[in-house]
Amino acid sequence: MLEFVVTSEQRFRNSWGMLVKEMNGLGNVCAGGVESRDEPCKLRFSLKDQSGLNEACTPVAAFALSVVAPSIIASDVRASSTNGLAAGLEPATVEAIAKAGALRHTRWLEIASGRIAQSLMENPALSIEGFLRFRMRDLLDTLQNELVSLLGALNIEEEYRHFVRLLKRYAAVNRKETETLTIRFCRDGAYTLLTAGGRRLLSVPRLLDEHESGNMLITLLDSISPGRVVVLGSAQLPESVRETISDMFGDRARFES
């Protein structure tokens, strides 16, 4: 009879009972668990031989990826130089985003199961946190990079929404300046919005693809709601965006190449 011990930090004790239940549900495994407020959670399980070890490790791998890994990743992001990306978000929210990423990578479950089985054959005692940090570092790095990218995108989107709200207020107060709006396109696709008096309202660099950039311009025009629109350098304007502007403003829109 082969016997193994798997441990995890006691803060995960609320989910530990489910792991023990899943282990015993495999049929060829005899498992028992302990959850304590003062000691790490402990799982002891036994097998007749090592042929069923990979299967027995699947619930452990699922627990590691769906419960423990997101917590580690979220904690690392909050403690790193990228902490500003998580500003204003509850730790549980950051962890939930990390968990969504972990569950999306289904191929990692098989990889983690195999590595856990290999680790247990080398040493019958395994710490899930230690395993993730040292044997699954590639997974943690992948998920952490994805989390940072997603948080960055969320922040950019929130900043953009905030900017649009401010722009609406400005347009409402300065209606004379925004009654006629000129959009001057550069050859690289960047554009500048100019007020009726020729003052620069804002410049949008060529950072997005044509679809996203076009959607942003339409949103800006909708927010400002000018009486007339003049597009300079309209050859750089995607045809679909030109048609949308024409639909929005009719003969109040003028396009100059």
Side-chain angles (χ1 to χ4, degrees):
M1 184 73 70
L2 300 175
E3 295 187 351
F4 305 95
V5 177
V6 175
T7 61
S8 187
E9 295 177 7
Q10 59 87 21
R11 61 194 173 108
F12 300 117
R13 65 181 183 277
N14 291 338
S15 304
W16 201 247
M18 183 61 68
L19 171 59
V20 176
K21 182 178 179 180
E22 290 182 7
M23 293 288 288
N24 283 315
L26 293 175
N28 62 333
V29 178
C30 179
V34 178
E35 309 104 53
S36 169
R37 289 186 177 273
D38 304 314
E39 298 292 334
C41 299
K42 184 176 293 185
L43 167 69
R44 293 183 180 275
F45 70 97
S46 57
L47 295 168
K48 290 183 179 179
D49 56 67
Q50 70 179 57
S51 62
L53 184 57
N54 270 42
E55 180 184 2
C57 289
T58 299
V60 180
F63 182 88
L65 298 186
S66 64
V67 178
V68 182
S71 177
I72 291 176
I73 296 164
S75 178
D76 287 351
V77 168
R78 292 196 304 272
S80 72
S81 59
T82 58
N83 179 50
L85 294 175
L89 296 176
E90 292 293 330
T93 301
V94 180
E95 189 169 325
I97 296 172
K99 182 175 182 177
L103 294 177
R104 188 170 64 250
H105 289 272
T106 54
R107 67 184 182 88
W108 283 106
L109 181 60
E110 183 178 353
I111 294 172
S113 298
R115 291 184 189 178
I116 289 175
Q118 181 62 38
S119 295
L120 288 173
M121 290 308 299
E122 296 170 5
N123 184 342
L126 177 142
S127 160
I128 290 180
E129 288 77 17
F131 166 78
L132 286 170
R133 289 197 178 277
F134 295 103
R135 297 274 185 134
M136 297 296 292
R137 189 68 253 177
D138 47 353
L139 167 70
L140 292 185
D141 288 344
T142 297
L143 295 180
Q144 183 168 329
N145 289 337
E146 289 186 0
L147 177 60
V148 168
S149 296
L150 183 55
L151 290 176
L154 289 175
N155 280 342
I156 290 172
E157 184 176 342
E158 178 57 35
E159 289 175 4
Y160 177 65
R161 285 198 296 265
H162 179 64
F163 171 76
V164 168
R165 288 194 294 269
L166 292 177
L167 193 61
K168 284 183 177 180
R169 294 178 190 173
Y170 176 85
V173 174
N174 300 276
R175 178 49 58 194
K176 287 185 178 180
E177 286 194 18
T178 58
E179 181 61 25
T180 298
L181 199 66
T182 299
I183 309 168
R184 186 171 62 202
F185 274 87
C186 299
R187 290 186 178 181
D188 63 355
Y191 56 87
T192 300
L193 302 187
L194 303 169
T195 66
R199 189 168 66 85
R200 182 177 65 86
L201 185 58
L202 78 154
S203 294
V204 180
R206 179 70 173 98
L207 297 176
L208 306 172
D209 62 35
E210 285 189 356
H211 177 73
E212 292 174 320
S213 183
N215 286 343
M216 178 181 289
L217 176 58
I218 296 303
T219 301
L220 291 171
L221 291 176
D222 183 59
S223 301
I224 300 171
S225 299
R228 290 176 292 280
V229 173
V230 177
V231 181
L232 305 179
S234 60
Q236 307 302 321
L237 188 66
E239 185 60 32
S240 59
V241 180
R242 179 176 182 140
E243 291 176 359
T244 301
I245 293 176
S246 295
D247 291 340
M248 291 173 66
F249 296 96
D251 59 7
R252 293 180 292 117
R254 188 170 85 248
F255 300 91
E256 299 180 7
S257 58

